[in-house]
Amino acid sequence: MRLPVLLIGLLVACVFLRTLGPPLDYDLWFDLRMGREIASTGAIPHQETFLASSNLFEAPHWLNDEWGFAWATWQVYQHFGLPGLAVAKALLLALLALVLCLGCRLVGLAPWATVLLVALELWMVQGRFMLRPHLVSDLLLALQTWLVLRQERSERVFLPALMFCVYAFWTNVHAGLAAGLAVLGAIWVGSKFRRLYFYALMAAALGAMVRPGGWEIFFYVHKTFARKAMMENNIEWLPIPLESWLGPPGLFVLIMLGGFVVAWRQGRFRPGHLLACLGMLFTAARHIRAVGEFGSATTGLVANAWGTSLPDRKPLNLVALIALLGVLLLGPGEGDWNRRDIPRRLYPEGALEFLRAHRVPGTVFNSYHLGGYLVFREAPVMIHGMTSTFPDSLMQDYLDALQDPVRQEEVASKYSIGAYLLHYTDPSEAHSWLAGRLARDPLWSLVYFDDVAVLYVPSSLGLPAYRGVNPALADPFPQGPQAARAEVEAKLGDDPGSPLTWWLLGQLEGRERRWQEALEAYTRALELDRSDFGAYLGRGQARLGLGDAGGALSDLKQALALRPNSGVAHYNLAVVYLNLNKPIDARREAEKAVRLRFEPAQRLLERL
């Protein structure tokens, strides 16, 4: 086997293994519900009917651009369950890596450089490693670029016919085809309006109309971008944070610009390629969700700009080979993808079972992102994440209820709210504000919590409630540790596999300075969830309390690896460095904590 083929094969295998994990995207469950609806009725829904609140507004006509993806994922789930979806996600990402590699090698990029560029692209978009229709768009964008590059190297004209076929499929899966049309248009303009690319663009546009609704697909994206409430309140549509440009996106852009400079100096410059790259870069800078499309569409064009200018040296290829083997030996990278308790650990299954067991009436006011799973389970929810299916007024009512106590009561009355199901979040965010108001309101009671969410129902229902513990609050023990201990221990008896409850027990033991017991509780939490920031933070404090500053240092570094911008973690690390007699390191960490506005750090800094 030749070394280049081995390198590409290993990279694809690494991508598959490192992305083989449980499907974490909540909107996937909306697609599964949609797919089930299509499979059972034989019809494609074009109006919102899944929300309990849908009878209170006039649902807009919904193009349903994702119906093909919804039907396909439902078939996978029906036959293979969650493991099948996990494998499907990993296969799509591995196939994306393969197509990107083929494009790079087609234009003569050295094998080691191919591995480096594709790995950087995947690193740049790792936050989008979810089983959603956009993943298919990313794959088809990479395929389109590969076809364009092949056409540029062939005398036989095949691009228009293939574009028609690609877009006839794409239009029934995701509206991301708009990005593909934009790339084709940029290449056409940059080629000085060459007929071949005009025919390819027209064939793609014709293919895009091979779907229910036909030409309406061209207006769908415009209507989406015109929805102000959705664009301003959905994190996916916000601009990329400035600090992110200091990471993989910024490095990718530098490599892109460097490649076009090299191509210009060597007389290989293609204006259409640069125009396409800059257009996609502009879109990605404005909207986080477009980063995946940017990387997929431009990687082949960037590779073409560099071409054969980078040396194909065997030592460099061997270094890439060793690095890939090291990654491959790490095995699966996203946890145990075949666990049977995934629904209960990742989704609000426990809260849903509680609601049904106690027949709690009314609509559930749910955290926005939990809605997809609840819709799949046919719960009477107020909102879900597919904002294109309902009017902006519903989103505005939801946001108002989170932030405004007066509007909360109005919204509760309007939508007949019978329960609040809220996820855990930072105390500075609106969901925490609502959770705090409900905790102080005698009309509502916390009746259930698990690792996913807390559930409040009207106190008038008379259900047993938690009084001493509330993990949604900044202080989870509002009545003190003694009042909370019995409730925490009872919860552990009911659910000993809950990392959150073990963390709560560690907090209780730590407040009473029972450091050994706290250490054991945090260790148990980490055995159940290796990514538990709070458990690493707590265990570091427990180890420091036991005099093990070295162990505390290790745990706090693990905590900061999970949350680099945690002020309390930097502060605790400063305290550990003081105990290790490293005042310079202690000052550095204290200064970081001050910059992150952790107030106790200022007093520590004044002592140093």
Side-chain angles (χ1 to χ4, degrees), residues 405-465:
V406 175
R407 286 289 289 132
Q408 176 197 339
E409 294 183 7
E410 294 173 358
V411 169
S413 175
K414 177 180 178 180
Y415 294 95
S416 302
I417 300 300
Y420 287 87
L421 182 59
L422 305 173
H423 72 295
Y424 303 107
T425 186
D426 187 270
S428 63
E429 295 185 7
H431 289 85
S432 285
W433 305 344
L434 176 56
R437 294 201 302 270
L438 292 170
R440 296 187 297 271
D441 190 341
L443 298 178
W444 293 91
S445 296
L446 174 66
V447 294
Y448 179 88
F449 72 85
D450 58 15
D451 294 82
V452 179
V454 291
L455 177 65
Y456 294 88
V457 302
S459 302
S460 59
L461 295 180
L463 297 177

Side-chain angles (χ1 to χ4, degrees), residues 133-274:
H134 76 261
L135 190 53
V136 180
S137 282
D138 292 350
L139 176 59
L140 294 176
L141 278 166
L143 177 63
Q144 173 178 276
T145 299
W146 179 74
L147 290 172
V148 167
L149 294 172
R150 281 193 65 86
Q151 180 66 82
E152 291 174 350
R153 285 157 177 75
S154 174
E155 296 181 358
R156 183 167 56 91
V157 176
F158 57 80
L159 191 61
L162 288 179
M163 285 298 96
F164 177 85
C165 297
V166 168
Y167 278 79
F169 171 77
W170 199 345
T171 190
N172 292 288
V173 178
H174 189 226
L177 58 82
L181 290 170
V183 169
L184 273 180
I187 293 175
W188 172 53
V189 172
S191 69
K192 298 181 180 179
F193 307 102
R194 186 180 170 191
R195 285 186 180 182
L196 169 63
Y197 295 118
F198 175 76
Y199 294 148
L201 184 60
M202 291 300 100
L206 287 173
M209 290 189 283
V210 183
R211 59 155 293 118
W215 56 270
E216 289 183 36
I217 187 67
F218 298 118
F219 301 95
Y220 176 75
V221 176
H222 171 72
K223 290 179 180 178
T224 299
F225 277 83
R227 297 186 60 185
K228 185 177 179 180
M230 185 186 75
M231 301 294 289
E232 293 181 350
N233 296 293
N234 190 328
I235 190 171
E236 290 186 333
W237 293 105
L238 297 179
I240 296 179
L242 290 177
E243 60 269 19
S244 295
W245 292 109
L246 299 177
L251 180 58
F252 188 89
V253 171
L254 288 176
I255 292 173
M256 178 187 80
L257 296 177
F260 283 107
V261 170
V262 169
W264 177 69
R265 287 182 174 178
Q266 295 180 352
R268 299 182 294 102
F269 178 69
R270 291 183 177 269
H273 289 195
L274 178 60

Side-chain angles (χ1 to χ4, degrees), residues 387-400:
T387 53
S388 58
T389 70
F390 52 78
D392 289 347
S393 59
L394 176 60
M395 173 65 80
Q396 195 59 57
D397 284 344
Y398 171 75
L399 295 172
D400 288 348

Side-chain angles (χ1 to χ4, degrees), residues 2 22 96 118 146 206 248 267 277 302 337 379 406 479 540-541 580 599:
R2 294 192 307 165
L96 172 62
V118 174
W146 179 74
L206 287 173
C277 287
V302 172
W337 56 274
V406 175
Q479 298 181 9
Q541 293 173 317
L580 292 171
E599 293 181 4

Side-chain angles (χ1 to χ4, degrees), residues 367-389:
S367 289
Y368 169 85
H369 69 282
L370 300 179
Y373 182 80
L374 295 169
V375 161
F376 174 75
R377 297 284 280 111
E378 301 184 14
V381 297
M382 175 183 171
I383 197 168
H384 55 60
M386 300 299 290
T387 53
S388 58
T389 70

